[in-house]
Structures are given as C-alpha cells and as structure tokens.
C-alpha cells in the first residue's frame, strides 16, 4: 500500500514525497555535527565559529539621545550591548531626528552591517529595535534624499531597504520593536519584521504608500496580512489608514500598548522587560523555537508538525548539553508526521521539484544554527 502510494504519479504523490523531502532537509541541514532525528546517538556539536564584529556605543549601557540636526552619519544608528543583568540584550537605536528617522542610504548601510554582525554572535539573546528620537520610530524612506536620485537609483535603493528589513526578519534570536512614536510606511514594515511589537498609546502606525500612488515595498503587503489577517490588512493598505496604539492593539498589530511616560520611552521599557524575561531560557531552544514557528507558518499543518518534531529532536536528545537540556531519548509516536511521511514511501534522497524552493529556504536558515 505504502509502496503503491509512493510510486503513484500525480500531484498527491509529489506532495507526499515533497513533504518528506522538506522534513529531511530540515533535519539534515542543522550544521556540522547535527544529526537526523532518527539517529539519536553520540554528542552533537554546533558551528564553532561565531564572530562579534560590532562595537557598542562608548559608555556601555547608558541610554543616549541626540536631537541635533548636526548628528554625524556614524551616529545615525547606535548599537548598544547591554551589560550586567541585561547582558545578552542588544539595542539598535535609530537616531536621525532631522529626518524623522527615515531610511537613508547611510542608515540602510549601517543597519545591514549591524545585522550582519549580530546574526552570527552567539552571545546575543534578544534584539530591541527602537528610536533615539522622541515621538518618532521611523517615517519610512527618506523622500528628500530620494527625489535627488536618478530614476535608475530608486529601484536599487528600495531593494536595499527591503533586503535589510528581510535580514532583520531572519535574525535567529527574538526581536522586539519598541514603537514610541510615528511608524509609517517603511517604519511600520521594519516593525513588522520583528517578532514582537510593543507601542505607546500615542504612537501612530500605518502603511500609507497608496496616498503616494505606490504600494508598500518593504514586505508590508506580505507581513501585515500574516499579522492581522488578509481582509483587515487590505482595508488598512487600501485606505492608507493610520492607527494609534490602542487601535493597533485591538486589531492584533502589536502585543502590548502602554500609556506614554514623561521620558517618552514607555514602549522601550516594556520591550526591555520582555527581553529580560527571555534571558533565563535556553539559548539554543529559543533559536530553534523561532525557526520552528517561522518555517511552520509557511507550510501545511502536517508538514509544520514534522518540522516541529525535527527541531525538538535537536534540543532534547542524548548529548544535548549545548542546549542546556537533560540527556534523554525521544520516542517517536506511531502516528507522528515523520512516520506518516515514511509510510507513503517518500525518500529524502530523491528531490521533488515542487519542494526544492522551500527546502532551499530551510537550508539557508537551519545552517545558521
């Protein structure tokens, strides 16, 4: 019966084989030393090389804000590695007060450089994205800079903004957007790329590009529907509506809403509380949990459960000291997704064209762990 299902041509056979292939790739690409869930013997060793290539702002964890129009370009993004009880938390502070924290070529370049260093830093546990400017989170692309560009420069510039937002979305550790002010267009797209969003009740959020006769170009048309649902996302994009913190909480755009304080950093303080709550948890478990959720949301439920099973096996098995978990075997249930995939006769060694795109995506993310 199983052999017949595996040999049967058509979409069903390809889907079944593709699902098994996808899960096999999820297991096999966890990096040097990682093992398939079906082979639970011997120690596992993760990637040995981790670089810390970004220096904190001078002065350690002390908060610094700058509101002058004379801000130097190197101060447009402040990267702070917090210390003491907050060790492991990194704060990315945008500081372009004279341009409402809008994306310039320089800011995009600095963000990309910072993210590139953070994604390979094993000591980083949680990243907070915030503004160093009161009343502003990020106002999207710098339109004043953009009007000075040649038409041939606009497309590549938008592509770079999209790329850096995607890089933030693909960071392996939890990310929190602290929205203490205006987050419009690309600013909201930046927040949407983070795992968790918190905002002050006075904050303003919206994808307003249709007012300019364009559409969101930094992932907004894809991430907003995934956050709040397709119909409501269409309504907000079609109308270019701007929501305050309470309205954003009501539609599920943010997780927490706070009354703004005198310092103007209520959302940041809440984000810091959340990050502290994450710190005691197993570092590898946090990364693998994020991966399982993100990848599982892109596939059907059965495949998603198989991805979860594969990820679970990597943090709870003999020799799992790296994850800080007690050693112990895993018994695979008779009706588990992996057994069901095997039952249809799909071979993880035979690629299925329909699954290759998703498999390549998994390989890219899993290899970083």
């Amino acid at each position: 019966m199983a052999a017949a299902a595996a040999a049967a041509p058509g979409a069903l056979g390809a889907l079944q084989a593709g699902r098994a292939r996808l899960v096999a790739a999820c297991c096999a690409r966890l990096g040097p030393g990682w093992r398939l869930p079906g082979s639970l013997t011997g120690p596992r060793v993760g990637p040995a090389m981790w670089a810390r290539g970004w220096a904190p702002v001078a002065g350690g964890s002390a908060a610094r804000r700058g509101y002058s129009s004379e801000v130097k370009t190197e101060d447009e993004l402040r990267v702070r590695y917090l210390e003491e009880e907050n060790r492991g938390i990194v704060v990315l502070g945008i500081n372009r007060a004279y341009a409402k924290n809008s994306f310039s070529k320089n800011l995009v370049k600095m963000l990309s450089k910072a993210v590139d260093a953070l994604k390979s830093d094993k000591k980083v546990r949680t990243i907070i994205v915030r503004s160093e400017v009161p009343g502003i989170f990020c106002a999207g692309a710098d339109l004043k800079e953009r009007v000075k560009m040649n038409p041939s420069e606009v497309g590549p510039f938008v592509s770079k903004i999209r790329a850096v937002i995607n890089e933030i979305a693909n960071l392996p550790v939890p990310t929190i957007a602290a929205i203490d002010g205006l987050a419009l267009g690309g600013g909201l797209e930046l927040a949407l790329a983070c795992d968790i969003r918190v905002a002050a009740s006075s904050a303003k959020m919206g994808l307003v590009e249709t007012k300019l006769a364009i559409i969101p170009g930094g992932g907004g048309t894809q991430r907003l529907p995934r956050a709040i649902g397709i119909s409501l996302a269409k309504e907000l994009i079609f109308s270019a509506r701007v929501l305050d913190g309470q309205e954003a909480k009501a539609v599920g755009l943010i997780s927490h809403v706070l009354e703004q304080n005198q310092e103007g950093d209520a959302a940041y303080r809440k984000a810091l509380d959340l990050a502290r709550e994450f710190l005691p948890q197993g570092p590898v478990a946090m990364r693998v949990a994020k991966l399982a959720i993100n990848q599982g949301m892109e596939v059907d439920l059965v495949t998603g459960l198989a991805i979860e099973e594969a990820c679970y096996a990597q943090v709870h098995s003999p020799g799992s000291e790296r994850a800080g978990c007690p050693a112990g075997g895993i018994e695979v249930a008779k009706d588990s997704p992996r057994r069901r995939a095997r039952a249809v006769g799909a071979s993880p060694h035979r690629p299925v064209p329909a699954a290759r795109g998703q498999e390549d995506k998994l390989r890219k993310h899993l290899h970083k762990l």
Side-chain angles (χ1 to χ4, degrees):
M1 183 76 174
L12 178 59
L15 177 61
Q16 292 170 331
R19 177 179 293 139
R21 175 71 180 173
L22 181 60
V23 175
C26 180
C27 301
R29 296 294 175 176
L30 283 168
W34 292 80
R35 295 165 293 114
L36 290 170
S39 177
L40 300 176
T41 57
R44 292 177 296 140
V45 180
M49 295 300 294
W50 297 91
R52 183 177 182 129
W54 197 260
V57 169
S61 62
R64 290 172 47 193
R65 286 176 176 249
Y67 316 127
S68 171
S69 60
E70 302 286 328
V71 173
K72 297 179 181 179
T73 55
E74 60 266 26
D75 285 336
E76 290 184 353
L77 181 70
R78 292 172 172 172
V79 182
R80 295 189 289 119
Y81 288 78
L82 305 190
E83 299 295 339
E84 298 176 353
E85 72 273 11
N86 296 323
R87 185 180 299 274
I89 301 172
V90 178
V91 180
L92 299 180
I94 305 174
N95 185 45
R96 297 191 75 223
Y98 62 96
K100 296 184 179 180
N101 282 354
S102 57
F103 288 117
S104 63
K105 288 181 178 180
N106 181 65
L107 178 58
V108 171
K109 181 179 179 180
M110 294 184 72
L111 272 170
S112 182
K113 184 178 180 180
V115 171
D116 191 56
L118 291 170
K119 68 185 178 183
S120 58
D121 191 338
K122 190 179 180 182
K123 296 180 181 178
V124 175
R125 303 291 301 277
T126 300
I127 297 169
I128 298 174
V129 181
R130 67 167 302 195
S131 168
E132 300 280 334
V133 181
I136 299 290
F137 178 73
C138 176
D142 189 336
L143 298 182
K144 290 183 179 179
E145 183 181 76
R146 185 166 167 176
V147 296
K148 298 176 183 178
M149 296 180 187
N150 295 325
S152 60
E153 295 180 296
V154 174
F157 174 61
V158 174
S159 294
K160 288 179 180 178
I161 294 176
R162 183 184 303 115
V164 76
I165 289 176
N166 287 340
E167 289 170 9
I168 290 171
N170 291 330
L171 281 166
V173 298
T175 54
I176 308 172
I179 308 171
D180 274 306
L182 198 68
L184 299 180
L188 180 54
E189 289 175 311
L190 173 62
L192 284 166
C194 295
D195 299 312
I196 300 167
R197 290 166 293 283
V198 298
S201 57
S202 58
K204 302 294 182 183
M205 292 156 273
L207 296 179
V208 297
E209 286 85 351
T210 51
K211 284 186 177 181
L212 303 175
I214 58 176
I215 70 169
T221 63
Q222 303 305 306
R223 293 192 177 96
L224 186 62
R226 285 168 168 78
I228 66 173
I230 296 174
S231 181
L232 189 52
K234 288 179 178 178
E235 179 181 331
L236 295 181
I237 291 174
F238 294 165
S239 64
R241 188 180 305 158
V242 175
L243 307 178
D244 63 26
Q246 295 290 351
E247 293 169 328
K249 176 66 168 63
V251 301
L253 180 57
I254 61 175
S255 300
H256 303 276
V257 59
L258 302 309
E259 290 297 323
Q260 190 57 281
N261 56 28
Q262 290 184 349
E263 292 79 11
D265 63 353
Y268 170 66
R269 294 191 182 193
K270 178 62 177 181
L272 196 55
D273 286 342
L274 290 172
R276 288 170 180 149
E277 194 173 346
F278 300 161
L279 284 178
Q281 319 314 327
V284 175
M286 296 286 282
R287 291 172 179 244
V288 175
K290 176 172 177 174
L291 180 68
I293 295 169
N294 286 356
Q295 297 302 313
M297 292 301 295
E298 302 299 324
V299 297
D300 63 89
L301 178 60
V302 173
T303 306
L305 291 171
I307 290 172
E308 180 190 78
E309 183 182 19
C311 289
Y312 182 84
Q314 303 307 319
V315 295
H316 189 75
S317 61
S320 61
E321 294 84 3
R322 178 170 178 260
C325 298
I330 298 177
E331 181 178 351
V332 180
K334 293 182 179 180
D335 63 341
S336 70
R338 192 168 74 229
R339 288 190 182 274
R340 286 200 295 273
R342 288 175 179 170
V344 300
S347 171
H349 304 292
R350 299 179 63 186
V352 178
R356 281 178 180 168
Q358 187 67 30
E359 177 185 335
D360 290 343
K361 183 179 178 182
L362 278 170
R363 286 176 178 175
K364 179 180 177 182
H365 290 290
L366 290 168
H367 183 70
K368 298 175 183 178
L369 295 179

